[in-house]
Amino acid sequence: MAVFTERGYDSASMELLANRLGITKSAIYHHVTSKEALLALALERAHEGLFAVAEEARSLDAPAVARLKRLVHDSVTVLVRNLPYVTLLLRVRGNTEVERRALERRRELDHLAAELVTEAIADGDLRSDLDPAMVARLLFGLVNSLVEWYRPEPGDTGEPLADAVITMAFDGLVVASPQPDATCAPITPP
Amino acid sequence: MAVFTERGYDSASMELLANRLGITKSAIYHHVTSKEALLALALERAHEGLFAVAEEARSLDAPAVARLKRLVHDSVTVLVRNLPYVTLLLRVRGNTEVERRALERRRELDHLAAELVTEAIADGDLRSDLDPAMVARLLFGLVNSLVEWYRPEPGDTGEPLADAVITMAFDGLVVASPQPDATCAPITPP
DNA sequence: GTCTATACATGGATAGAC
DNA sequence: GTCTATCCATGTATAGAC
């Protein structure tokens, strides 16, 4: 996985993998039938985490915004905890059959996100001046872009990062304006 | 460029490029000395546009937030108009000397963004509860992630897209709360 | 500018001994 | 489970004719 991440799947030759493992190319083929099988295994692992998150967000008993926020938040933590696997998944281009199947499964996740955004807008919880499909893509573009720069320490669950993503995407970067429910209300001392 | 975008630089063989061009591999070498030279040319073109934007944002006579917004906005339009080139740049992993130089130059841009964010926070225009370096990376992660899904029609300048990015990142997705300068002010009829 | 032919290295993968 | 040796396709790149 380290070699795949550093060089990219295509540029990571079996020779290079073997060197890093301290064995020969042919020894690898005792454990796995092909290079592509190695890729399939890794992609499977990435999907596992992401689909678990999607399932949980979907089954949550809460308004669409809340489910969407949960989906975004937990996607970040899964991404952080399975960084090499998710990175590989996100870099797949569809050159082979294995890659195309992975892309299809990713689209299912995109679809769920788009549904939640649409519903949240209908609820009046998200601004209606942006296209729902575009919002969904911007949101997950933001999440997915983390693989390009975030380098977690061992033990990092990505919790603060997930909160930062939620804050920027939902509340924006400009200084906090009063929340709707607090607007113009006098400050009540505790 | 189309082949590079579809298959990735590494997987795009000279044979494949030649087929698409309708000539033979060797004919390509009459125009360019190596495959890597082809990459260098493309990366150069991507940098041109991005650095021009950075220079303009830097030299703007306005508060840091405004310069930052301009940088983000124009980065989106450059990305849209030079999509294949910027896509290639963003997928470079540093496997060769040419790629490493490209990564270094990209870091200069990241640095400028981080400076603007820091300054804007100091000005009190951006929320101070998020790490400036993190904000800069989230912002440009968001911008860069566009190459993964945005497919402009010919003639598309990316203007509405750039506005959407600015809106989401700076104002957030939740329904517009009153702007600070309008807070609690009675609505004035025109 | 383009072609055919070819050089030479490296790619993924297999055979068979230990 | 790992090795050496090897197969064959493909990779980048060059030589030299047209």
Side-chain angles (χ1 to χ4, degrees), chain A residues 123-187:
Chain A
D123 289 349
D125 290 325
L126 290 189
R127 60 192 318 144
S128 57
D129 56 344
L130 297 178
D131 175 59
M134 181 187 272
V135 167
R137 282 177 151 153
L138 288 176
L139 262 178
F140 278 83
L142 175 58
V143 171
N144 294 340
S145 72
L146 299 177
V147 304
E148 300 300 330
W149 61 271
Y150 195 70
R151 296 294 170 264
E153 305 283 316
D156 183 349
T157 62
E159 206 66 31
L161 178 67
D163 291 338
V165 168
I166 295 278
T167 299
M168 168 164 140
F170 288 86
D171 300 332
L173 290 172
V174 297
V175 282
S177 36
Q179 289 308 298
D181 59 332
T183 310
C184 301
I187 293 162

Side-chain angles (χ1 to χ4, degrees), chain B residues 47-62:
Chain B
H47 273 129
E48 251 174 55
L50 293 175
F51 272 96
V53 163
E55 204 38 64
E56 224 208 297
R58 198 206 304 271
S59 66
L60 208 66
D61 184 27

